Amino acid sequence: MTTRIFDGRRRVDAIAADGRGVAYGDGLFETMRVHRGTVPWWDAHWARLQHGAQRLHLRLPEPRQVREEAADLFANDDSANDRGGVLKLIVTRGGGGRGYAPPAAAEPSWLLSRYPVPVAVADGLRARWCETRLASQPLLAGIKHCNRLEQVLARAECIEAGVDEGLMRDLDGNVVSATSANLFVFRDGRWLTPLLDRCGVAGVCRAQLLPALQAREARLDTAALEAADAVFLCNAVRGILPLARLGARAWPAHPAIAAARVALARRHPAFALDVEHP
């Protein structure tokens, strides 16, 4: 991992001791797939970041500087023959002393980090239903804010159970997402994906696939998902990840998922490898 830290426009050596991101999770983040030194979905990620900043009344750094620093971070990227890299951007409200009240004119703090692409799962994911539930908070629904304790607890469940991923529900039992991915369900010849108006993250990859698959947003319960003909998870780093097993329920490879991967590859060149080597 390589990381650069900034206070406003100025590069610094460390996060400030009074940083609100550390103290309260008062910030946002984006995790992006890099392909041959570029971020093909940059505009979509920045638009979601702006939307989140409006919700939180949080200042963003100057977009041109962020993009130039990101490009420089991958300037020596030699990914023409591999799966590229991952760029993570964290933006917080900056320093503000003790107490919840946000400072009136804080300079944003932000970090850029470079990571390798996660290892692909060859035969589909094994998942479980998580006991940890997602609380409803419409003001935060959809945005990628820095408070992810629910996902941390759910991910710990997955590690303990020895599975690849966990599916999460809200307090009413509605299916929302996986711990780090959105999900799509294929039933009766069409794709469905959960509504995210109460909780959950509206993923950039999900936004690309909604029109591509002519998918419909809907409330889904556990029975609806387990009765599906096919299920996949998706995010902007790993693309489409077929679900192979959920408890006792198993799904074989399905042509609708293969078609979805082709549709995604048309929108992001890094995911063409998933079509060539599923």
Side-chain angles (χ1 to χ4, degrees):
M1 179 185 73
T2 302
T3 300
R4 297 181 181 183
I5 306 170
F6 299 84
D7 181 11
R9 296 190 59 86
R10 181 172 57 93
R11 187 170 175 180
V12 296
D13 294 329
I15 299 170
D18 65 348
R20 293 179 61 85
V22 174
Y24 308 119
D26 189 2
L28 303 160
F29 70 102
E30 293 289 331
T31 312
M32 299 163 259
R33 183 70 174 262
V34 178
H35 179 71
R36 299 186 178 180
T38 67
V39 181
W41 288 346
W42 177 274
D43 290 343
H45 282 285
W46 192 263
R48 181 173 64 176
L49 192 71
Q50 287 180 309
H51 178 64
Q54 290 170 357
R55 290 268 194 96
L56 299 184
H57 305 286
L58 182 151
R59 290 178 61 189
L60 293 179
E62 205 279 318
R64 180 175 178 179
Q65 183 187 8
V66 179
R67 192 155 193 174
E68 288 175 352
E69 292 286 351
D72 190 58
L73 195 62
F74 282 84
N76 64 344
D77 182 40
D78 183 20
S79 59
N81 297 310
D82 63 24
R83 299 181 67 85
V86 177
L87 173 68
K88 185 167 184 177
L89 167 63
I90 302 174
V91 181
T92 76
R93 201 179 302 272
R98 196 189 69 80
Y100 292 134
E107 284 281 354
S109 295
W110 51 288
L111 298 80
L112 286 171
S113 302
R114 173 178 172 168
Y115 297 87
V117 175
V119 176
V121 177
D123 300 320
L125 300 178
R126 297 164 301 130
R128 61 164 285 157
W129 290 112
C130 292
E131 295 299 324
T132 305
R133 299 295 182 99
L134 292 167
S136 295
Q137 175 47 270
L139 185 62
L140 300 178
I143 68 175
K144 203 163 186 178
H145 57 82
C146 288
N147 191 327
R148 294 288 143 197
L149 285 177
E150 293 163 330
Q151 286 78 6
V152 169
L153 294 174
R155 190 69 191 142
E157 291 184 42
C158 298
I159 294 170
E160 184 177 352
V163 297
D164 302 306
E165 252 293 359
L167 303 189
M168 302 191 71
R169 296 159 288 184
D170 63 18
L171 297 176
D172 295 322
N174 299 303
V175 181
V176 179
S177 65
T179 65
S180 59
N182 293 121
L183 64 86
F184 283 76
V185 169
F186 192 68
R187 293 189 63 190
D188 301 322
R190 72 174 304 169
W191 287 104
L192 303 171
T193 191
L195 277 167
L196 301 176
D197 56 339
R198 299 175 183 171
C199 55
V201 175
V204 167
C205 187
R206 174 184 183 270
Q208 295 283 331
L209 287 169
L210 274 167
L213 303 181
Q214 298 182 336
R216 181 171 63 87
E217 295 176 293
R219 302 265 183 236
L220 298 173
D221 58 19
T222 57
L225 186 140
E226 291 176 350
D229 300 314
V231 181
F232 72 74
L233 312 183
C234 68
N235 64 32
V237 168
R238 303 180 71 186
I240 287 174
L241 301 164
L243 196 60
R245 183 172 290 277
L246 177 65
R249 177 69 162 97
W251 287 273
H254 197 285
I257 293 182
R261 279 181 152 167
V262 171
L264 186 62
R266 295 192 185 107
R267 286 158 174 79
H268 195 303
F271 300 126
L273 286 173
D274 295 333
V275 175
E276 298 167 10
H277 307 287

